[in-house]
Amino acid sequence: MLTLLAAVSLIGLKAQDNNTLKPVEPGIQWDTVKVIIHDKYPEHLVGIRYNFSFTGVMMSPDLEVKGMIAPVNLALLYTYYNPLWGWIDLFGLQTGIQFSQYGFKNGKYNYQNFEQKVSVIEIPFVSSFHYDIGESFRILAGIGPFIGYRAFTTKSNGFDCFDNRFDYGLVATLGLAYILGRVEFHLEGSFNYSLSMLYHPERMSSSWWLYTYPWRAGINLGVHLKL
């Protein structure tokens, strides 16, 4: 019996000895993980962009107007990419000045002095996102507001008291960039929707209101230089 108790005691002491943490000897490191973070730096780009658009005006009630092609849209842009905490390189801001056109034609109803093409000076403020694929390509996306001024019209009598000259709305873009040294070539699709009505609601009648919101969808071609 005494022999059995002694054997059990020796086994317990041996297990306790095996579970005891041993001190780490000097010069030896266990479970060391080395994290390497590559610093990213801000980027400043200046470029020009050409846009070919299909445009129209969303009307309520629907007057069944036709859309219009606007082949002359040019922009001078500044883009700033700012990495968060020096290594999350996804975010940026784009702004500049842009000359754009949009409008509509009479459709089913031939209203006199109604259809027009408007030329607008715009300033966008776009949150610009990018995801780099290697060193040569970037996926681009952007969304944000714009403000503008309707400067010219093709109406024979020009602007009248029912025309809204101040413009504002939202713009969204999605595309791809090819990087060649300090130069970037951008190909994007874009959509602009104006929240400022083209006409005062009483343009057609004081008894029923007409709501007119211009839009345009287009293809952007841009060349940007990294400063």
Side-chain angles (χ1 to χ4, degrees), residues 63-217:
L63 299 185
E64 300 185 26
V65 297
K66 296 180 180 179
M68 179 180 295
I69 293 177
V72 182
N73 304 281
L74 297 172
L76 177 64
L77 299 172
Y78 165 72
T79 307
Y80 173 60
Y81 291 135
N82 181 30
L84 293 182
W85 304 296
W87 61 281
I88 302 179
D89 192 16
L90 297 173
F91 307 100
L93 174 68
Q94 186 176 84
T95 187
I97 186 168
Q98 180 168 305
F99 173 83
S100 302
Q101 293 182 318
Y102 53 74
F104 68 96
K105 298 179 180 179
N106 280 321
K108 181 178 180 180
Y109 308 102
N110 189 21
Y111 294 108
Q112 186 177 4
N113 200 33
F114 185 52
E115 66 180 22
Q116 66 173 318
K117 178 184 286 188
V118 179
S119 299
V120 189
I121 306 299
E122 297 176 346
I123 300 177
F125 300 95
V126 177
S127 295
S128 183
F129 306 94
H130 68 97
Y131 180 78
D132 295 353
I133 304 175
E135 297 182 355
S136 299
F137 293 95
R138 280 177 170 168
I139 297 175
L140 305 172
I143 188 169
F146 71 86
I147 59 174
Y149 182 75
R150 294 162 182 160
F152 308 102
T153 179
T154 58
K155 288 197 304 182
S156 59
N157 64 338
F159 290 109
D160 57 39
C161 62
F162 292 102
D163 291 298
N164 288 327
R165 305 290 295 276
F166 181 68
D167 196 8
Y168 62 92
L170 297 173
V171 56
T173 61
L174 181 65
L176 185 68
Y178 174 67
I179 304 172
L180 185 62
R182 295 175 57 191
V183 180
E184 292 189 14
F185 301 92
H186 293 187
L187 174 63
E188 300 172 290
S190 64
F191 184 79
N192 292 59
Y193 187 81
S194 179
L195 298 175
S196 173
M197 287 185 288
L198 189 61
Y199 300 119
H200 188 278
E202 296 184 356
R203 169 67 173 80
M204 303 299 293
S205 172
S206 59
S207 60
W208 57 272
W209 282 16
L210 175 67
Y211 299 94
T212 52
Y213 296 100
W215 61 268
R216 66 179 187 269

